[in-house]
Amino acid sequence: MIAATAAIFAPAAGILAGLTYATVAPSCGFWGPVVSRGPAGSHRVAITFDDGPTPGATDVILDVLRDAGVRATFFVIGVNVRKHPGLLRRIHAEGHLVANHSFNHSHYGVMRLRRYWLREIIETDAAIEAAIGVRPAMYRPPVGLKTGHTFSAMRSTPHAMITWSRRAIDGLPTTPQRIMGRFRNVADGEILLLHDGVEPHARNADRSATIAAVPMLLDDLRRANLAPVRLDELLGIPGYQSIGVTAAGVAEVVGAGAAR
């Protein structure tokens, strides 16, 4: 009886494990094309920041980057952009790349369908465009979770799916030393993920460890002869859209808004 039950459920468990891996693994392209690192050989890396803009953290990190002459990429949340458009304008004015990190950063969005993700992406693009006059061409999903519905929504909007090769896990309580331990021996072409902002559902709003770690990270990269650059420079792809979203995508979002 036990053997028969195992024979029935083992294939289902294997399928579930495979789908879970495809959803959470940053380099897995099962659901669609993913960029988790850039080409090797250029002696360049990309430092990326998620969840901003957030006063008290984003502005301090911008000061550090400005003083070091470094350009980074900021994956911003639409809700935070609407609250702090001036801070987003500073990010853009100082030469950093702005990218899309959803509108609400839902922790349960992985269970939502295509229309939800289409609205999340397009509304964030619109908030960014209202602040700085351009729409991003790169998208990173909340918590890095990818599904077929996410990619289906992206096919109606011109975005590249960007994940990471290493992350600081600094959205949770941590220390600068732990962050630096995760970025030990960085290689060229890597995409590094940290958090400058605080997403709407965060339990931890303390970004002091990240703020302290950024100068240390920049020093380590300099000693390793690695130059931090924007993602569009590292990857050789557009950072901003040259055209708007498709008419079908806009119509779908308008219809969804009317139905709410």
Side-chain angles (χ1 to χ4, degrees):
M1 181 66 178
I2 295 176
T5 302
I8 293 172
F9 286 103
I15 292 172
L16 179 60
L19 293 178
T20 300
Y21 177 82
T23 299
V24 304
S27 61
C28 183
F30 175 81
W31 298 115
V34 173
V35 180
S36 62
R37 65 181 303 139
S42 65
H43 298 286
R44 299 187 298 177
V45 298
I47 301 175
T48 69
F49 295 95
D50 282 9
D51 292 359
T54 300
T58 304
D59 46 341
V60 178
I61 289 172
L62 285 172
D63 290 344
V64 174
L65 297 175
R66 179 198 59 205
D67 294 345
V70 167
R71 302 291 180 264
T73 301
F74 289 79
F75 284 87
V76 299
I77 296 173
V79 168
N80 287 346
V81 169
R82 287 191 178 174
K83 289 180 180 178
H84 312 293
L87 195 48
L88 187 76
R89 284 191 286 270
R90 180 185 169 188
I91 293 172
H92 182 61
E94 295 187 1
H96 305 288
L97 183 66
V98 176
N100 188 318
H101 194 41
S102 84
F103 193 79
N104 292 293
H105 200 284
S106 171
H107 289 194
Y108 305 103
V110 69
M111 297 182 287
R112 304 298 291 269
L113 303 182
R114 177 183 186 276
R115 181 168 291 187
Y116 170 83
W117 286 113
L118 189 62
R119 186 170 65 245
E120 285 282 301
I121 293 169
I122 291 181
E123 288 188 355
T124 303
D125 279 357
I128 292 169
E129 184 177 31
I132 62 175
V134 292
R135 287 177 175 251
M138 298 184 189
Y139 173 73
R140 176 179 283 159
V143 201
L145 299 179
K146 317 173 297 297
T147 69
H149 296 293
T150 311
F151 279 96
S152 179
M154 287 179 59
R155 279 193 285 272
S156 295
T157 63
H159 294 82
M161 171 70 80
I162 309 294
T163 55
W164 61 86
S165 60
R166 301 195 196 200
R167 58 176 176 166
I169 312 187
D170 52 342
L172 301 174
T174 189
T175 66
Q177 292 72 29
R178 287 178 181 172
I179 292 174
M180 293 306 299
R182 301 189 68 83
F183 292 143
R184 186 177 294 113
N185 299 322
V186 171
D188 63 345
E190 293 212 57
I191 298 173
L192 312 180
L193 188 162
L194 301 97
H195 290 80
D196 70 302
V198 180
E199 49 97 350
H201 314 287
R203 295 182 180 179
N204 174 45
D206 182 7
R207 294 293 174 265
S208 60
T210 305
I211 292 169
V214 170
M216 300 164 62
L217 174 60
L218 296 178
D219 286 343
D220 272 10
L221 294 177
R222 191 176 300 111
R223 283 192 289 268
N225 195 31
L226 294 173
V229 297
R230 296 177 7 161
L231 268 173
D232 52 347
E233 298 175 55
L234 178 69
L235 303 177
I237 62 177
Y240 295 108
Q241 300 173 28
S242 59
I243 58 173
V245 298
T246 64
V250 172
E252 186 168 350
V253 168
V254 171
R260 279 188 289 179

